[in-house]
Amino acid sequence: MDKMLQSLEKQALEEISKAKSISALKEVEVEYLGRKGKLTNILRGVKDLSAKDKPRIGKLSNEVKNNIDKRFTERREEIEEQELKHELSKEFFDTSIPGISPPIGHIHPLSQVQEEVERIFNQMGFAIMDGPEAESEYYNFEGLNIPADHPARDMQDTFFIKDKEDEKHGRFVLRTHTSPVQVRTMEKYGAPLRVIVPGRTFRYEATDASHDTTFYQVEGLLIDKNISLSHLKGIMAEFLSRLFEKDVNVRFRPGYFPFVEPGLELDFSCFMCQGDGCRLCKHTGWIEFMGAGMVHPNVLKAGGLNSDEYQGWAFGFGLTRLVMMKYGINDIRLLTNGDLQFIKQF
Ligand code: PHE
């Protein structure tokens, strides 16, 4: 009996060592320790042994069982470790290859120039204002001295938002310019004021290379005591010189907008040819840039200001046009149509 146990142990340990996989090991386990396993049978028979043999054989067979158990556990861990190593070795990993960098976005040219404009006006003491894109007829027109029957309403083809109406402020429109924020700012902050309003504007227009239904403007408004158009000339010459990083001159021409009096158009000296004449300025040396003028007393009144005490000027220029000029973009639609190939150049 002792011999039998010993050879069983030896046999089992050998088979365990030979098992190359977890499933092979399981089979060996069943063979020896399963319900009908070789060792199980012996253990079961111990109780029928004579009183003389029972303690010794019982002890020995328990030792054999423990040894086999221990070896099973060891072998299982060995096999698992080998399998893991094998898995890893299949996956060749070259640490010297540069990683794949994820695509990183960048600032849209419109936003780049807008940020630059904001930075320069900030330096000159102007605050940045915002206003709603869906605006009331009141702020877009009446408040700016453009009554309903005024022919100037035809100057700006307007998108009307049908189902929205405000008793006090009339129908809602997609704002045709950033000028409505003039009255909003005066109402909110009173005077003195020094603000610019960059923002999205809309016109009901057929699109072509230089017209789009959606574009961007920058409004400017300066209100204080003893303000004249010479301040506007100085501010704009300084702004444009800083923007183009060269000396830029400006000139005024008469212009008409119902919300300014007197009204004017501002041109600046061509930054490509320094005024000598080139294709960009159509050989005039000047580039038409924006509308401006002294804020009309009716607009100051709409903003709740006393026009005897305060006066100021306002201007509005096309941010989209500025971006097109700055980068030599010849089709306005490229800026908003989401063409990544185009936009990735900036
Ligand atoms: N709002 C005018 C436009 O869109 C521009 C402007 C602004 C003119 C302020 C004068 C003063 O054409």
Side-chain angles (χ1 to χ4, degrees), residues 144 155-156 176-180 182 203 215 217-220 256-257 259-260 263-264 290-293 313-317:
L144 290 167
M155 280 163 63
Q156 302 177 345
T176 55
H177 48 182
T178 42
S179 301
Q182 286 186 30
R203 303 245 175 120
F215 55 102
Q217 286 192 335
V218 177
E219 194 81 6
Y256 173 72
F257 302 92
F259 33 95
V260 285
L264 57 93
M290 67 178 201
W313 41 251
F315 65 77
F317 67 79

Side-chain angles (χ1 to χ4, degrees), residues 24-294:
L25 193 66
K26 278 246 168 65
E27 276 171 33
V28 182
E29 197 169 7
V30 172
E31 189 187 336
Y32 289 90
L33 301 175
R35 212 154 40 84
K36 290 178 183 157
K38 291 176 183 164
L39 187 63
T40 316
N41 283 338
I42 294 174
L43 286 168
R44 219 176 264 141
V46 170
K47 65 178 192 315
D48 303 324
L49 291 173
S50 62
K52 181 177 136 264
D53 287 339
K54 212 195 265 180
R56 189 173 42 79
I57 301 292
K59 190 166 167 255
L60 183 64
S61 51
N62 264 328
E63 274 170 19
V64 170
K65 181 172 185 294
N66 286 343
N67 287 345
I68 293 177
D69 270 346
K70 215 175 104 204
R71 185 65 193 124
F72 266 124
T73 312
E74 265 174 29
R75 184 66 190 145
R76 183 171 297 116
E77 279 166 14
E78 280 168 25
I79 292 173
E80 277 169 0
E81 198 173 311
Q82 269 166 15
E83 281 182 352
L84 186 67
K85 265 194 201 146
H86 181 66
E87 273 308 304
L88 288 178
S89 71
K90 277 199 295 196
E91 252 182 70
F92 173 72
F93 186 74
D94 185 346
T95 49
S96 68
I97 291 176
I100 302 164
S101 42
I104 297 174
H106 71 290
I107 310 285
H108 191 283
L110 268 166
S111 305
Q112 284 182 37
V113 177
Q114 180 178 328
E115 281 173 15
E116 184 66 7
V117 169
E118 289 178 3
R119 194 180 61 80
I120 296 170
F121 274 103
N122 250 183
Q123 288 170 344
M124 296 196 282
F126 285 73
I128 318 293
M129 292 296 296
D130 242 337
E133 290 172 1
E135 182 58 280
S136 68
E137 268 186 301
Y138 171 75
Y139 284 113
N140 199 78
F141 296 119
E142 274 91 352
L144 290 167
N145 200 34
I146 317 174
D149 56 358
H150 197 288
R153 284 232 180 165
D154 301 338
M155 280 163 63
Q156 302 177 345
D157 296 310
T158 310
F159 284 113
F160 286 90
I161 302 171
K162 269 209 193 99
D163 46 353
K164 249 188 147 183
E165 190 156 343
D166 183 296
E167 255 180 50
K168 191 168 149 236
H169 293 129
R171 285 179 292 177
F172 274 79
V173 300
L174 292 184
R175 66 176 177 190
T176 55
H177 48 182
T178 42
S179 301
V181 190
Q182 286 186 30
V183 177
R184 285 182 175 277
T185 308
M186 290 183 234
E187 280 179 346
K188 195 164 176 194
Y189 296 107
L193 274 182
R194 226 191 263 202
V195 299
I196 60 160
V197 187
R200 188 150 53 164
T201 50
F202 310 86
R203 303 245 175 120
Y204 179 58
E205 278 185 319
T207 56
D208 61 30
S210 46
H211 298 85
D212 205 348
T213 53
T214 302
F215 55 102
Y216 290 75
Q217 286 192 335
V218 177
E219 194 81 6
L221 178 67
L222 186 144
I223 309 274
D224 211 327
K225 293 175 178 169
N226 305 315
I227 294 301
S228 78
L229 287 175
S230 57
H231 297 119
L232 176 63
K233 215 168 192 176
I235 290 276
M236 291 316 290
E238 183 61 25
F239 160 66
L240 291 162
S241 298
R242 289 195 199 177
L243 186 74
F244 292 114
E245 293 174 338
K246 52 182 75 156
D247 280 338
V248 176
N249 293 322
V250 297
R251 73 174 184 189
F252 289 163
R253 285 180 290 113
Y256 173 72
F257 302 92
F259 33 95
V260 285
E261 179 59 38
L264 57 93
E265 305 264 353
L266 181 143
D267 303 338
F268 63 79
S269 55
C270 181
F271 59 90
M272 288 281 276
C273 62
Q274 322 298 340
D276 293 344
C278 67
R279 252 179 53 170
L280 181 67
C281 59
K282 300 190 191 100
H283 302 281
T284 64
W286 295 94
I287 292 174
E288 288 181 25
F289 185 53
M290 67 178 201
M294 296 301 290

